[in-house]
Every structure is written in structure tokens, then in C-alpha cells.
Amino acid sequence: NDVRKEINFCRKLKIPIIGLVENMASYKCPKCNVETEIFPATSGGGAALAKEEGIPLICSLPLHPIIGKTGDNGIPLFDENTPVKILDSYKSLVQSIVSFTK
């Protein structure tokens, strides 16, 4: 509901919406490689909301220790041994923002 409220707020004020980013979409255990939804979607998740609201789902960002570690230490995420899936998600986010600003 909070995201839906923000979408409505932006629309009322005619603030452009680039798209939706689903944060902490999943967690992949570094020991067993099992991917789990930590916050299971109660209403279809980011993809369903984006479709319902007619806005693009830019990416789903996973919950991963390296994201916190790099942020806490001021190290660029792309300088670490970051899993490709995470890098691809962030690249998609950045590309969407850059495309929108052109």
C-alpha cells in the first residue's frame, strides 16, 4: 500500500515515474545456494503492482551481504567480487535512469 500511495502522489503532482524497483526481493544463501523470498508478496509483488499501475518493473534487487558491506565501507559495488545477478540488476536500474534523463 505504501508504494501504491507514492505512485498516486507522484501522479497527482505530475512527477514522472521512471519505474518500479523491487528492493530486497530475495535472499540467496551463500552456503547452500537456495534462493528464498524473505518478504513473501501478499498481493503479487513488484511485477504485479507494476503491471497493474502501467509502469515498468525496472529490476528486483536481492538482499545480499555484499551490498551492505560495500555501502558501509564506501566501496563501489562494482569493485568487489559481486555476483553477476546483482550487477545485472543494478546495471538495469542505472540504464533506466540514464535513458529516462536523455
Coordinates of all heavy atoms in Angstrom, one line a residue:
N1 N 0.8 -1.2 0.0 CA 0.0 0.0 0.0 C 0.8 1.3 0.0 O 0.4 2.3 -0.6 CB -0.9 0.0 1.2 CG -2.3 -0.5 0.8 OD1 -2.6 -0.7 -0.3 ND2 -3.1 -0.8 1.8
D2 N 2.0 1.2 0.7 CA 2.9 2.4 0.7 C 3.3 2.8 -0.7 O 3.3 4.0 -1.0 CB 4.1 2.2 1.6 CG 3.7 2.2 3.1 OD1 2.6 2.7 3.4 OD2 4.5 1.7 3.9
V3 N 3.7 1.8 -1.5 CA 4.2 2.1 -2.8 C 3.1 2.6 -3.7 O 3.3 3.6 -4.4 CB 4.9 0.8 -3.4 CG1 5.3 1.1 -4.9 CG2 6.0 0.4 -2.6
R4 N 1.9 2.0 -3.5 CA 0.8 2.5 -4.3 C 0.4 3.9 -4.0 O 0.1 4.7 -4.8 CB -0.4 1.6 -4.0 CG -1.5 1.7 -5.0 CD -2.7 0.7 -4.7 NE -2.2 -0.7 -4.4 CZ -2.0 -1.6 -5.3 NH1 -2.2 -1.3 -6.6 NH2 -1.6 -2.8 -5.0
K5 N 0.5 4.3 -2.7 CA 0.3 5.7 -2.3 C 1.3 6.6 -2.9 O 1.0 7.7 -3.3 CB 0.4 5.8 -0.7 CG -0.8 5.2 0.0 CD -0.6 5.4 1.5 CE -1.7 4.6 2.3 NZ -1.4 4.7 3.7
E6 N 2.6 6.2 -3.0 CA 3.6 7.0 -3.6 C 3.4 7.2 -5.1 O 3.6 8.3 -5.6 CB 5.0 6.5 -3.3 CG 5.4 6.5 -1.9 CD 5.5 8.0 -1.4 OE1 5.9 8.9 -2.1 OE2 5.1 8.1 -0.2
I7 N 2.9 6.1 -5.7 CA 2.6 6.2 -7.2 C 1.5 7.2 -7.4 O 1.6 8.1 -8.2 CB 2.2 4.8 -7.7 CG1 3.5 3.9 -7.7 CG2 1.6 5.0 -9.1 CD1 3.2 2.5 -8.0
N8 N 0.4 7.1 -6.6 CA -0.7 8.1 -6.7 C -0.3 9.5 -6.4 O -0.7 10.4 -7.1 CB -1.8 7.7 -5.8 CG -2.5 6.4 -6.2 OD1 -2.5 6.1 -7.4 ND2 -3.0 5.6 -5.3
F9 N 0.6 9.7 -5.4 CA 1.1 11.0 -5.0 C 1.9 11.6 -6.2 O 1.6 12.8 -6.6 CB 2.1 10.9 -3.8 CG 2.8 12.1 -3.5 CD1 2.2 13.2 -2.8 CD2 4.1 12.3 -3.9 CE1 2.9 14.3 -2.5 CE2 4.8 13.4 -3.5 CZ 4.2 14.4 -2.8
C10 N 2.8 10.8 -6.8 CA 3.5 11.3 -8.0 C 2.6 11.7 -9.2 O 2.8 12.7 -9.8 CB 4.5 10.3 -8.4 SG 5.9 10.0 -7.3
R11 N 1.6 10.9 -9.4 CA 0.7 11.1 -10.5 C -0.1 12.4 -10.2 O -0.3 13.2 -11.1 CB -0.2 9.9 -10.7 CG 0.5 8.8 -11.4 CD -0.4 7.6 -11.7 NE 0.3 6.6 -12.5 CZ 0.0 5.4 -12.4 NH1 -0.9 4.9 -11.7 NH2 0.7 4.5 -13.2
K12 N -0.6 12.6 -9.0 CA -1.3 13.8 -8.7 C -0.5 15.1 -8.9 O -1.0 16.1 -9.3 CB -1.8 13.8 -7.2 CG -3.0 12.9 -7.0 CD -3.4 12.8 -5.6 CE -4.6 11.8 -5.4 NZ -5.0 11.7 -4.0
L13 N 0.8 15.0 -8.6 CA 1.7 16.1 -8.7 C 2.4 16.2 -10.0 O 3.2 17.0 -10.3 CB 2.7 16.2 -7.6 CG 2.2 16.4 -6.2 CD1 3.3 16.3 -5.1 CD2 1.4 17.7 -6.1
K14 N 2.0 15.2 -10.9 CA 2.6 15.2 -12.3 C 4.1 15.0 -12.2 O 4.9 15.5 -13.1 CB 2.2 16.3 -13.1 CG 0.7 16.4 -13.3 CD 0.3 17.4 -14.3 CE -1.2 17.7 -14.5 NZ -2.1 16.7 -14.2
I15 N 4.6 14.2 -11.2 CA 6.0 13.8 -11.1 C 6.2 12.6 -12.0 O 5.5 11.6 -11.8 CB 6.4 13.6 -9.7 CG1 6.2 14.9 -8.8 CG2 7.9 13.1 -9.6 CD1 6.4 14.6 -7.4
P16 N 7.1 12.6 -13.0 CA 7.3 11.4 -13.8 C 7.8 10.2 -13.0 O 8.6 10.4 -12.1 CB 8.4 11.9 -14.8 CG 8.6 13.3 -14.6 CD 8.0 13.7 -13.3
I17 N 7.3 9.1 -13.4 CA 7.7 7.8 -12.7 C 8.5 7.0 -13.7 O 8.0 6.7 -14.8 CB 6.4 7.0 -12.3 CG1 5.6 7.8 -11.3 CG2 6.9 5.7 -11.7 CD1 4.3 7.2 -10.9
I18 N 9.8 6.8 -13.4 CA 10.7 6.1 -14.2 C 10.2 4.6 -14.3 O 10.2 4.0 -15.3 CB 12.1 6.2 -13.7 CG1 12.6 7.6 -13.8 CG2 13.0 5.3 -14.6 CD1 13.9 7.9 -13.1
G19 N 9.9 4.1 -13.1 CA 9.5 2.7 -13.0 C 9.6 2.2 -11.6 O 9.8 3.0 -10.6
L20 N 9.4 1.0 -11.4 CA 9.4 0.4 -10.0 C 10.6 -0.5 -9.8 O 11.0 -1.2 -10.7 CB 8.1 -0.5 -9.9 CG 7.8 -1.0 -8.5 CD1 7.3 0.1 -7.6 CD2 6.7 -2.1 -8.6
V21 N 11.2 -0.3 -8.6 CA 12.3 -1.2 -8.2 C 11.9 -2.0 -7.0 O 11.4 -1.4 -6.0 CB 13.5 -0.3 -7.8 CG1 14.7 -1.2 -7.3 CG2 14.0 0.5 -9.0
E22 N 12.0 -3.3 -7.1 CA 11.6 -4.1 -6.0 C 12.9 -4.4 -5.2 O 13.8 -5.0 -5.7 CB 11.0 -5.4 -6.6 CG 10.4 -6.3 -5.5 CD 9.7 -7.6 -6.1 OE1 10.1 -8.0 -7.2 OE2 8.8 -8.0 -5.5
N23 N 12.9 -3.9 -4.0 CA 14.1 -4.0 -3.1 C 13.9 -5.2 -2.2 O 12.9 -5.5 -1.7 CB 14.3 -2.7 -2.3 CG 15.6 -2.6 -1.7 OD1 16.6 -3.2 -2.1 ND2 15.7 -1.9 -0.6
M24 N 15.1 -5.8 -1.9 CA 15.1 -7.0 -1.0 C 14.1 -8.1 -1.5 O 13.4 -8.6 -0.7 CB 14.9 -6.6 0.4 CG 15.9 -5.7 1.0 SD 15.8 -5.4 2.7 CE 14.4 -4.3 2.8
A25 N 14.1 -8.3 -2.8 CA 13.2 -9.3 -3.4 C 13.5 -10.7 -3.0 O 12.5 -11.5 -2.9 CB 13.3 -9.2 -4.9
S26 N 14.7 -11.1 -2.7 CA 15.0 -12.4 -2.4 C 16.4 -12.5 -1.7 O 17.1 -11.5 -1.7 CB 15.1 -13.3 -3.6 OG 16.1 -12.9 -4.5
Y27 N 16.7 -13.6 -1.1 CA 18.0 -13.8 -0.4 C 18.5 -15.2 -0.9 O 17.8 -16.2 -0.8 CB 17.9 -13.8 1.1 CG 19.2 -14.2 1.8 CD1 20.2 -13.3 1.8 CD2 19.3 -15.4 2.3 CE1 21.4 -13.6 2.5 CE2 20.5 -15.8 3.0 CZ 21.5 -14.8 3.0 OH 22.7 -15.2 3.6
K28 N 19.8 -15.2 -1.4 CA 20.4 -16.5 -1.8 C 21.4 -16.9 -0.7 O 22.4 -16.1 -0.5 CB 21.0 -16.3 -3.2 CG 21.5 -17.7 -3.7 CD 22.0 -17.5 -5.1 CE 22.4 -18.8 -5.8 NZ 22.8 -18.6 -7.1
C29 N 21.2 -18.0 -0.1 CA 22.1 -18.5 0.9 C 23.5 -18.7 0.3 O 23.6 -19.5 -0.6 CB 21.6 -19.7 1.6 SG 22.7 -20.4 2.8
P30 N 24.6 -18.1 0.9 CA 25.9 -18.4 0.3 C 26.4 -19.8 0.5 O 27.3 -20.2 -0.2 CB 26.8 -17.3 1.0 CG 26.0 -17.0 2.2 CD 24.6 -17.2 2.0
K31 N 25.8 -20.5 1.5 CA 26.3 -21.9 1.8 C 25.6 -22.9 0.9 O 26.2 -23.8 0.4 CB 26.2 -22.1 3.2 CG 27.1 -21.3 4.1 CD 27.0 -21.6 5.5 CE 28.0 -20.7 6.3 NZ 28.2 -21.0 7.6
C32 N 24.3 -22.8 0.8 CA 23.5 -23.9 0.1 C 23.0 -23.4 -1.2 O 22.4 -24.2 -2.0 CB 22.4 -24.4 1.0 SG 21.1 -23.2 1.3
N33 N 23.1 -22.1 -1.5 CA 22.6 -21.5 -2.8 C 21.1 -21.6 -3.0 O 20.7 -21.5 -4.1 CB 23.3 -22.2 -4.0 CG 24.8 -21.7 -4.2 OD1 25.1 -20.5 -3.8 ND2 25.6 -22.5 -4.6
V34 N 20.4 -21.8 -1.9 CA 18.9 -21.8 -2.0 C 18.5 -20.3 -2.0 O 18.9 -19.6 -1.1 CB 18.3 -22.6 -0.9 CG1 16.8 -22.4 -0.9 CG2 18.6 -24.1 -1.0
E35 N 17.6 -19.9 -3.0 CA 17.1 -18.6 -3.0 C 15.7 -18.6 -2.4 O 14.9 -19.4 -2.7 CB 17.0 -18.1 -4.5 CG 16.8 -16.6 -4.5 CD 17.1 -16.1 -5.9 OE1 17.9 -16.7 -6.7 OE2 16.5 -15.0 -6.3
T36 N 15.5 -17.6 -1.4 CA 14.3 -17.5 -0.7 C 13.7 -16.1 -0.7 O 14.5 -15.2 -0.7 CB 14.6 -17.9 0.8 OG1 15.3 -19.2 0.9 CG2 13.4 -17.9 1.6
E37 N 12.4 -16.0 -0.7 CA 11.8 -14.7 -0.6 C 11.7 -14.5 0.9 O 11.0 -15.2 1.6 CB 10.4 -14.8 -1.2 CG 10.3 -14.7 -2.7 CD 8.9 -14.6 -3.2 OE1 8.1 -13.9 -2.6 OE2 8.6 -15.3 -4.2
I38 N 12.3 -13.4 1.4 CA 12.3 -13.1 2.8 C 11.0 -12.4 3.2 O 10.4 -12.6 4.2 CB 13.5 -12.2 3.2 CG1 14.8 -13.1 3.0 CG2 13.4 -11.8 4.6 CD1 16.0 -12.6 3.6
F39 N 10.5 -11.6 2.3 CA 9.3 -10.9 2.5 C 8.3 -11.3 1.4 O 8.2 -10.7 0.3 CB 9.5 -9.4 2.4 CG 10.5 -8.9 3.3 CD1 11.8 -8.5 2.8 CD2 10.3 -8.8 4.7 CE1 12.8 -8.0 3.7 CE2 11.3 -8.3 5.5 CZ 12.5 -7.9 5.0
P40 N 7.6 -12.5 1.6 CA 6.8 -13.0 0.5 C 5.7 -12.0 0.2 O 5.1 -11.3 1.0 CB 6.1 -14.2 1.2 CG 7.0 -14.6 2.3 CD 7.7 -13.3 2.8
A41 N 5.5 -11.9 -1.1 CA 4.5 -10.9 -1.6 C 3.1 -11.4 -1.2 O 2.7 -12.5 -1.3 CB 4.5 -10.8 -3.2
T42 N 2.3 -10.4 -0.7 CA 0.9 -10.7 -0.3 C -0.1 -10.4 -1.4 O -1.2 -10.8 -1.4 CB 0.5 -9.9 0.9 OG1 0.7 -8.5 0.7 CG2 1.4 -10.4 2.1
S43 N 0.4 -9.6 -2.4 CA -0.5 -9.2 -3.5 C 0.1 -9.3 -4.9 O -0.2 -8.5 -5.7 CB -1.0 -7.8 -3.2 OG 0.1 -6.9 -3.2
G44 N 1.1 -10.2 -5.0 CA 1.7 -10.4 -6.4 C 3.0 -9.8 -6.5 O 3.7 -10.0 -7.5
G45 N 3.5 -9.0 -5.6 CA 4.8 -8.4 -5.6 C 5.0 -7.3 -6.6 O 4.0 -6.7 -7.1
G46 N 6.2 -6.9 -6.8 CA 6.6 -5.8 -7.7 C 6.1 -5.9 -9.1 O 5.6 -4.9 -9.7
A47 N 6.2 -7.1 -9.7 CA 5.8 -7.3 -11.1 C 4.3 -7.1 -11.2 O 3.9 -6.4 -12.2 CB 6.2 -8.7 -11.5
A48 N 3.5 -7.6 -10.3 CA 2.1 -7.4 -10.4 C 1.7 -6.0 -10.2 O 0.8 -5.5 -10.9 CB 1.4 -8.3 -9.3
L49 N 2.3 -5.3 -9.2 CA 2.0 -3.9 -9.0 C 2.3 -3.0 -10.2 O 1.6 -2.2 -10.6 CB 2.7 -3.4 -7.7 CG 2.5 -1.9 -7.4 CD1 1.0 -1.6 -7.2 CD2 3.3 -1.5 -6.2
A50 N 3.5 -3.3 -10.8 CA 3.9 -2.5 -11.9 C 3.0 -2.7 -13.1 O 2.6 -1.7 -13.7 CB 5.4 -2.9 -12.3
K51 N 2.6 -3.9 -13.3 CA 1.6 -4.2 -14.4 C 0.3 -3.5 -14.1 O -0.3 -2.9 -15.0 CB 1.4 -5.7 -14.5 CG 0.5 -6.1 -15.7 CD 0.4 -7.6 -15.8 CE -0.5 -8.0 -17.0 NZ -0.6 -9.4 -17.2
E52 N -0.2 -3.7 -12.9 CA -1.5 -3.1 -12.5 C -1.5 -1.5 -12.7 O -2.5 -0.9 -13.1 CB -1.8 -3.4 -11.1 CG -3.1 -2.9 -10.5 CD -3.3 -3.3 -9.1 OE1 -2.9 -4.4 -8.7 OE2 -3.8 -2.4 -8.3
E53 N -0.3 -0.9 -12.4 CA -0.2 0.5 -12.4 C 0.2 1.1 -13.8 O 0.3 2.3 -14.0 CB 0.7 1.1 -11.3 CG 0.2 0.8 -9.9 CD -1.1 1.7 -9.6 OE1 -1.3 2.8 -10.2 OE2 -1.8 1.3 -8.7
G54 N 0.6 0.1 -14.7 CA 1.0 0.5 -16.0 C 2.4 1.2 -16.0 O 2.6 2.1 -16.8
I55 N 3.3 0.8 -15.1 CA 4.6 1.3 -15.1 C 5.6 0.1 -15.2 O 5.3 -1.0 -14.8 CB 4.9 2.1 -13.8 CG1 4.7 1.3 -12.6 CG2 4.1 3.4 -13.8 CD1 5.0 2.0 -11.3
P56 N 6.8 0.4 -15.7 CA 7.8 -0.7 -15.9 C 8.4 -1.2 -14.6 O 8.6 -0.4 -13.7 CB 8.8 -0.1 -16.8 CG 8.7 1.3 -16.7 CD 7.3 1.6 -16.3
L57 N 8.6 -2.5 -14.5 CA 9.4 -3.0 -13.3 C 10.8 -3.0 -13.8 O 11.2 -3.7 -14.7 CB 9.0 -4.4 -13.0 CG 9.8 -5.1 -11.9 CD1 9.6 -4.4 -10.6 CD2 9.5 -6.6 -11.8
I58 N 11.6 -2.1 -13.2 CA 13.0 -1.9 -13.7 C 13.8 -3.1 -13.3 O 14.6 -3.6 -14.1 CB 13.6 -0.6 -13.1 CG1 12.8 0.6 -13.7 CG2 15.0 -0.4 -13.4 CD1 13.2 2.0 -13.1
C59 N 13.8 -3.4 -12.0 CA 14.6 -4.6 -11.6 C 14.1 -5.0 -10.2 O 13.3 -4.3 -9.5 CB 16.0 -4.2 -11.5 SG 16.5 -2.9 -10.4
S60 N 14.5 -6.2 -9.8 CA 14.3 -6.7 -8.5 C 15.7 -6.9 -7.8 O 16.5 -7.7 -8.3 CB 13.6 -8.1 -8.5 OG 12.3 -7.9 -9.0
L61 N 15.9 -6.1 -6.8 CA 17.2 -6.2 -6.1 C 17.2 -7.2 -5.0 O 16.3 -7.1 -4.2 CB 17.6 -4.8 -5.6 CG 17.7 -3.6 -6.6 CD1 17.9 -2.3 -5.9 CD2 18.8 -3.9 -7.6
P62 N 18.2 -8.1 -5.0 CA 18.2 -9.1 -3.9 C 18.8 -8.5 -2.6 O 19.4 -7.5 -2.6 CB 19.1 -10.1 -4.5 CG 20.1 -9.4 -5.3 CD 19.2 -8.3 -5.9
L63 N 18.5 -9.2 -1.5 CA 19.1 -8.9 -0.2 C 20.4 -9.7 -0.2 O 20.4 -10.9 -0.4 CB 18.2 -9.3 0.9 CG 18.8 -9.1 2.3 CD1 19.0 -7.6 2.6 CD2 17.8 -9.6 3.3
H64 N 21.6 -9.0 -0.2 CA 22.9 -9.7 -0.2 C 23.9 -9.0 0.7 O 23.9 -7.8 0.6 CB 23.3 -9.8 -1.7 CG 24.5 -10.7 -1.9 ND1 25.8 -10.5 -1.5 CD2 24.5 -12.0 -2.4 CE1 26.5 -11.5 -1.8 NE2 25.8 -12.4 -2.4
P65 N 24.6 -9.7 1.5 CA 25.6 -9.1 2.4 C 26.6 -8.1 1.7 O 27.0 -7.1 2.2 CB 26.4 -10.3 3.0 CG 25.5 -11.5 2.8 CD 24.7 -11.2 1.6
I66 N 27.0 -8.4 0.4 CA 27.9 -7.6 -0.3 C 27.4 -6.2 -0.5 O 28.2 -5.2 -0.5 CB 28.5 -8.2 -1.5 CG1 29.8 -7.6 -1.9 CG2 27.5 -8.1 -2.7 CD1 30.7 -8.4 -2.8
I67 N 26.1 -6.1 -0.7 CA 25.5 -4.7 -0.9 C 25.7 -3.9 0.4 O 26.1 -2.7 0.3 CB 24.0 -4.9 -1.3 CG1 23.9 -5.6 -2.6 CG2 23.4 -3.5 -1.4 CD1 22.5 -6.0 -3.0
G68 N 25.4 -4.4 1.5 CA 25.6 -3.7 2.8 C 27.1 -3.4 3.1 O 27.4 -2.3 3.5
K69 N 27.9 -4.4 2.8 CA 29.3 -4.3 3.1 C 30.0 -3.2 2.2 O 30.7 -2.3 2.8 CB 30.0 -5.6 2.8 CG 31.6 -5.6 2.9 CD 32.2 -6.9 2.4 CE 33.6 -6.7 2.1 NZ 34.2 -7.8 1.4
T70 N 29.7 -3.2 1.0 CA 30.3 -2.1 0.1 C 29.7 -0.7 0.5 O 30.5 0.2 0.5 CB 30.0 -2.4 -1.4 OG1 28.6 -2.5 -1.6 CG2 30.7 -3.7 -1.8
G71 N 28.4 -0.7 0.8 CA 27.9 0.6 1.2 C 28.4 1.1 2.5 O 28.8 2.3 2.6
D72 N 28.5 0.2 3.5 CA 29.1 0.6 4.8 C 30.5 1.1 4.7 O 31.0 1.9 5.5 CB 29.0 -0.5 5.8 CG 27.5 -0.8 6.2 OD1 26.6 0.0 5.9 OD2 27.3 -1.9 6.8
N73 N 31.3 0.5 3.8 CA 32.7 0.8 3.7 C 33.1 1.8 2.6 O 34.2 2.0 2.4 CB 33.5 -0.5 3.5 CG 33.4 -1.4 4.7 OD1 33.5 -1.0 5.8 ND2 33.1 -2.7 4.4
G74 N 32.0 2.3 1.9 CA 32.3 3.3 0.9 C 33.0 2.7 -0.3 O 33.7 3.4 -1.0
I75 N 32.8 1.5 -0.6 CA 33.4 0.8 -1.7 C 32.4 0.6 -2.8 O 31.3 0.2 -2.6 CB 33.9 -0.6 -1.3 CG1 34.9 -0.5 -0.2 CG2 34.5 -1.4 -2.5 CD1 35.2 -1.9 0.5
P76 N 32.7 1.0 -4.1 CA 31.7 0.8 -5.1 C 31.4 -0.7 -5.3 O 32.2 -1.5 -5.2 CB 32.4 1.3 -6.4 CG 33.5 2.3 -5.8 CD 33.9 1.7 -4.5
L77 N 30.1 -0.9 -5.5 CA 29.6 -2.3 -5.6 C 30.3 -3.0 -6.7 O 30.6 -4.2 -6.7 CB 28.1 -2.3 -5.8 CG 27.4 -3.6 -5.9 CD1 27.5 -4.3 -4.5 CD2 25.9 -3.4 -6.2
F78 N 30.7 -2.3 -7.8 CA 31.3 -2.9 -9.0 C 32.8 -3.2 -8.8 O 33.4 -3.8 -9.6 CB 31.1 -2.0 -10.2 CG 29.6 -1.8 -10.5 CD1 28.9 -0.7 -10.1 CD2 28.9 -2.7 -11.2 CE1 27.6 -0.5 -10.3 CE2 27.6 -2.6 -11.5 CZ 26.9 -1.5 -11.1
D79 N 33.3 -2.8 -7.7 CA 34.7 -3.0 -7.4 C 35.0 -4.3 -6.7 O 36.1 -4.8 -6.5 CB 35.4 -1.9 -6.6 CG 35.6 -0.7 -7.4 OD1 35.4 -0.7 -8.6 OD2 36.1 0.3 -6.8
E80 N 33.9 -4.9 -6.1 CA 34.0 -6.1 -5.3 C 33.7 -7.4 -6.2 O 33.4 -7.2 -7.3 CB 33.0 -6.1 -4.1 CG 33.4 -5.1 -3.1 CD 34.7 -5.5 -2.3 OE1 34.8 -6.6 -1.8 OE2 35.6 -4.7 -2.3
N81 N 33.8 -8.5 -5.6 CA 33.5 -9.8 -6.2 C 32.0 -10.0 -6.1 O 31.6 -10.9 -5.5 CB 34.3 -10.9 -5.6 CG 34.2 -12.2 -6.4 OD1 33.9 -12.2 -7.5 ND2 34.5 -13.3 -5.7
T82 N 31.3 -9.1 -6.8 CA 29.8 -9.1 -6.7 C 29.2 -10.1 -7.7 O 29.6 -10.1 -8.9 CB 29.3 -7.7 -7.0 OG1 29.9 -6.8 -6.1 CG2 27.8 -7.6 -6.8
P83 N 28.3 -10.9 -7.2 CA 27.6 -11.9 -8.2 C 27.0 -11.2 -9.4 O 26.5 -10.1 -9.2 CB 26.5 -12.5 -7.3 CG 27.1 -12.4 -5.9 CD 27.8 -11.1 -5.9
V84 N 27.1 -11.8 -10.5 CA 26.6 -11.2 -11.8 C 25.1 -10.8 -11.7 O 24.7 -9.8 -12.2 CB 26.8 -12.2 -12.9 CG1 26.1 -11.8 -14.2 CG2 28.3 -12.4 -13.2
K85 N 24.3 -11.6 -11.0 CA 22.9 -11.3 -11.0 C 22.6 -10.0 -10.3 O 21.8 -9.2 -10.7 CB 22.1 -12.4 -10.2 CG 20.6 -12.2 -10.1 CD 19.9 -13.3 -9.4 CE 18.5 -13.0 -9.2 NZ 17.7 -14.0 -8.5
I86 N 23.4 -9.7 -9.3 CA 23.3 -8.4 -8.5 C 23.7 -7.3 -9.4 O 23.1 -6.3 -9.6 CB 24.1 -8.4 -7.2 CG1 23.4 -9.5 -6.3 CG2 24.1 -7.1 -6.6 CD1 24.2 -9.7 -5.0
L87 N 24.9 -7.5 -10.1 CA 25.4 -6.4 -11.0 C 24.4 -6.2 -12.1 O 24.2 -5.0 -12.5 CB 26.8 -6.9 -11.6 CG 27.9 -6.9 -10.6 CD1 29.2 -7.4 -11.3 CD2 28.2 -5.6 -10.0
D88 N 23.8 -7.2 -12.7 CA 22.9 -7.0 -13.8 C 21.7 -6.2 -13.3 O 21.1 -5.4 -14.0 CB 22.4 -8.4 -14.3 CG 23.5 -9.0 -15.2 OD1 24.5 -8.4 -15.5 OD2 23.4 -10.2 -15.4
S89 N 21.2 -6.5 -12.1 CA 20.0 -5.7 -11.5 C 20.4 -4.3 -11.4 O 19.6 -3.4 -11.8 CB 19.6 -6.3 -10.2 OG 19.1 -7.6 -10.3
Y90 N 21.6 -4.0 -10.9 CA 21.9 -2.6 -10.7 C 22.2 -1.9 -12.0 O 21.9 -0.7 -12.2 CB 23.2 -2.4 -9.8 CG 22.7 -2.4 -8.3 CD1 22.7 -3.6 -7.6 CD2 22.4 -1.2 -7.7 CE1 22.3 -3.6 -6.2 CE2 22.0 -1.2 -6.4 CZ 21.9 -2.4 -5.6 OH 21.5 -2.4 -4.3
K91 N 22.8 -2.6 -13.0 CA 23.0 -2.0 -14.3 C 21.7 -1.7 -15.0 O 21.5 -0.6 -15.6 CB 23.8 -3.0 -15.2 CG 25.3 -3.1 -14.8 CD 26.0 -4.1 -15.7 CE 27.4 -4.3 -15.3 NZ 28.1 -5.3 -16.0
S92 N 20.7 -2.6 -14.8 CA 19.4 -2.3 -15.4 C 18.8 -1.0 -14.7 O 18.2 -0.2 -15.4 CB 18.5 -3.5 -15.1 OG 17.2 -3.2 -15.5
L93 N 19.0 -0.9 -13.5 CA 18.5 0.3 -12.8 C 19.1 1.6 -13.3 O 18.5 2.5 -13.6 CB 18.7 0.1 -11.3 CG 18.3 1.3 -10.4 CD1 16.9 1.8 -10.5 CD2 18.6 1.0 -8.9
V94 N 20.4 1.5 -13.4 CA 21.2 2.7 -13.8 C 20.8 3.0 -15.3 O 20.6 4.2 -15.6 CB 22.7 2.5 -13.7 CG1 23.5 3.5 -14.4 CG2 23.1 2.4 -12.2
Q95 N 20.7 2.0 -16.1 CA 20.4 2.2 -17.5 C 19.0 2.9 -17.7 O 18.8 3.7 -18.5 CB 20.5 0.9 -18.3 CG 21.9 0.5 -18.6 CD 22.0 -1.0 -19.1 OE1 21.0 -1.7 -19.1 NE2 23.2 -1.3 -19.6
S96 N 18.1 2.4 -16.9 CA 16.7 3.0 -16.9 C 16.7 4.5 -16.5 O 16.1 5.3 -17.2 CB 15.8 2.3 -16.0 OG 15.6 0.9 -16.4
I97 N 17.5 4.8 -15.5 CA 17.6 6.2 -15.1 C 18.3 7.1 -16.2 O 17.8 8.1 -16.5 CB 18.3 6.3 -13.7 CG1 17.5 5.7 -12.6 CG2 18.6 7.8 -13.4 CD1 18.2 5.5 -11.3
V98 N 19.3 6.6 -16.7 CA 20.1 7.3 -17.8 C 19.2 7.5 -19.0 O 19.1 8.6 -19.5 CB 21.4 6.6 -18.1 CG1 22.0 7.2 -19.4 CG2 22.4 6.7 -17.0
S99 N 18.5 6.5 -19.4 CA 17.6 6.6 -20.6 C 16.5 7.6 -20.3 O 16.1 8.3 -21.2 CB 17.0 5.2 -20.9 OG 18.0 4.3 -21.3
F100 N 16.0 7.6 -19.1 CA 14.9 8.5 -18.8 C 15.3 10.0 -18.8 O 14.6 10.8 -19.2 CB 14.3 8.1 -17.4 CG 13.1 8.9 -17.0 CD1 11.9 8.6 -17.5 CD2 13.3 10.0 -16.2 CE1 10.8 9.3 -17.1 CE2 12.1 10.8 -15.8 CZ 10.9 10.4 -16.3
T101 N 16.6 10.2 -18.4 CA 17.1 11.6 -18.4 C 17.5 12.1 -19.7 O 17.8 13.3 -19.8 CB 18.2 11.7 -17.3 OG1 19.3 10.9 -17.7 CG2 17.7 11.3 -15.9
K102 N 17.6 11.3 -20.7 CA 18.0 11.8 -22.0 C 16.9 12.4 -22.8 O 15.8 12.2 -22.7 CB 18.6 10.6 -22.9 CG 19.9 10.2 -22.4 CD 20.5 9.1 -23.3 CE 21.9 8.7 -22.8 NZ 22.5 7.8 -23.7

